[in-house]
Amino acid sequence: MNGNGKDDHIETGFLLRQDRLPHIWCPGCGLGTVLQSFLRALVKSELPLEKVAIVSGIGCTGRVAGYVKLDSFHTTHGRAIPFATGLKLANPEMKVVVFSGDGDLTSIGGNHLIHAARRNMDLTVICVNNFIYGMTGGQVAPTTPVNARTSTSPLGNFEPAFNLPNLVTAAGATYVARWTAIHVRRLENTMTEALHKKGFSFVEVITPCPTHYGRKNRQGSGLTQLKYYRDNSVIKHGAQLGEVGIGMTDPITVGKFVDIERPTFSDLQSRIRSPKTAAEVQSTKK
Amino acid sequence: MASHGPLVGEFFMNGDEACAEGAISAGCRFFAGYPITPATEIAERMAERLPEVGGTFIQMEDEIASMAAILGGSWGGVKSMTATSGPGFSLMMENIGLGAMMETPCVVADVQRAGPSTGLPTLTAQGDMMQARWGSHGLYGIIALSPSSPQEMFTLTIKAFNLSEKYRVPVLIMGDESVAHMSEKVTIPPPEQLEIFPRRKTSLPPEEYLPYKPDADLVPPMANAGEGYFYHVTGLTHDERGYPDMSAEAQQKLVRRLIDKIDLNKKDIIEIEEDQIDGAEVVVCSYGISARVALLAVKAAREEGVKVGMLRLITVWPFPDERIRQIAGKVKAFVVPELNAGQIALEVERCVAGKAKTILVPHMGGAVHDPKVILEAIKKAAK
Ligand code: SF4
């Protein structure tokens, strides 16, 4: 695909729990592709696998944790980020990846998303955005474009949608990128970079959900949706973040938007630590 | 990070501070919390003390995040804790259930205040006792302890960590505002005199390890994240591999075990304090601050010649059914003073099963009982 033949043979099967396959995802769903890009990124990152953990919330994307042969945690709806925060702080040598859907991360989990970005918590968050709630049957999400139909916006969504790169950047994320499920190689490279980034990295992946979003909005099969992404994506690294919102029929701006350095929560915390001796502690406490 | 040991010696401190020191003595090195009266001083003390002992404190964005974070912290291999009061305890419930389902050792201190809703934020109550048992959805076993003094806020916090590691379950410390805010002498013994139950680690290599295959006491040994075990952990019903299994059989096997691992180990878990139960005509059964107040009434009743015994629940959940049944056959009545409209009294009544009377002495909270009211109830029960 990228003309670089040697990249095409990254072995990723050993990273899957083969005994759990087939997976539950629908035919044409983008989740398999995104997961595959992640696994390739993981191999390319050369991180020691026992030091990588994956945490997800609930929903179709939430099931990712169950298919990946890492220490993997399938937690409660919206709470993958705080769970991952605890895991990371308890075991700082680990690379903790949160892999979850747009509803999980930005609706019920929205508070945790902005605070983890604000703290620059050292996590990689992969947000699979299919503009809709998949597992519960295609309801409106905070990412549903205006006018899109869902089972709880049958007359067309009238609520403005989150521009996620803008949101997390404003909150303090130090690495922010967006691709679609057709940009598999670029996605893989971005994920590799994100895995090596120290600080809060956020990768949004626009992904087809043919079963709900595609069907309700006459966008056709997964493949048709991918073709749409191919024809309607504009790569614009460092784009003005106010302008990367996604409409029903507008072009989708993709690329790496933010890659800056800022001390992480743990960096700042270790700076303020001034260990006292046990004797000093006792004398102040008596 | 240099690590300094816990405090040792005699201190004058309040219950919240004692709880924090108990946690540190127990080896807790991760605290995630959100401020709420009357539990805030636990977080404040941890914010100061954890950096001194090489631990991590984080003030999360809310109680839901705090509870999720300590589950993550525990899987990361560090003894973890949070503290809250009623409204925050309600918010934590979903993830307390996740902790029970994933079998995650961790400790939650609920310093109770009067509710419902915002209620009386700075005044005492015991209104969360049933929430402690049944607060999260579904079925699971849980352990809850009820301290009556700052000293017990210290010792029972250590016990909470021990039980939590031993049975791989969230353990709840059901304090109350009075105990949390009273200051008394607290003795902290040297670390070598404390019994600390270590994490139940598996001795099997990753290829042979099944994360949810229990030992004989129904508790599976654990592997921490990052140790190369590559396990899957989920809040879904799962098999011994930790893989989701959406069958009634898997549900029966797993949930039955989550309940049984607490129930069948009751003897080891339950701690109660008894005073002059033999030959008693009436037994006062109480816990937390109410038990301390009730003791005044018991003493006064004895001076008036009433044969009254005292049963103080230190472990509230699991409930000491068996002991109460034994006593029930020999006494006229149980008198149960509590700062609610009768939560534990219902349990007493259930165990007594008509063999004696159960007399609730309720109080809606905001203050402790007037001992005279309890005394009157004891005297009436003895007639
Ligand atoms: S419902 Fe949508 S997101 Fe979920 S598996 Fe099916 S296609 Fe994928």
Side-chain angles (χ1 to χ4, degrees), chain B residues 14-15 18 146-156 179-180 182 184-186 288-289 292 312:
Chain B
N14 74 27
S146 184
S148 283
S149 64
Q151 180 67 51
E152 279 194 348
M153 286 289 271
F154 175 84
T155 50
L156 292 187
V179 169
M182 74 168 64
E184 284 183 340
K185 188 176 88 173
V186 173
I289 192 62
R292 264 180 98 154
R312 184 164 75 90

Side-chain angles (χ1 to χ4, degrees), chain B residues 15-16 38-39 85 110-114 123-127 129 145-149 153 173-182 287-291 339 368:
Chain B
D16 276 345
S85 187
D110 174 30
V111 181
Q112 298 169 85
R113 63 191 224 184
L123 298 176
T124 199
Q126 295 170 324
M129 302 308 293
L145 310 175
S146 184
S148 283
S149 64
M153 286 289 271
I173 300 164
M174 300 303 292
D176 53 61
E177 186 273 339
S178 305
V179 169
H181 282 165
M182 74 168 64
Y287 54 93
I289 192 62
S290 304
L339 296 177
V368 295

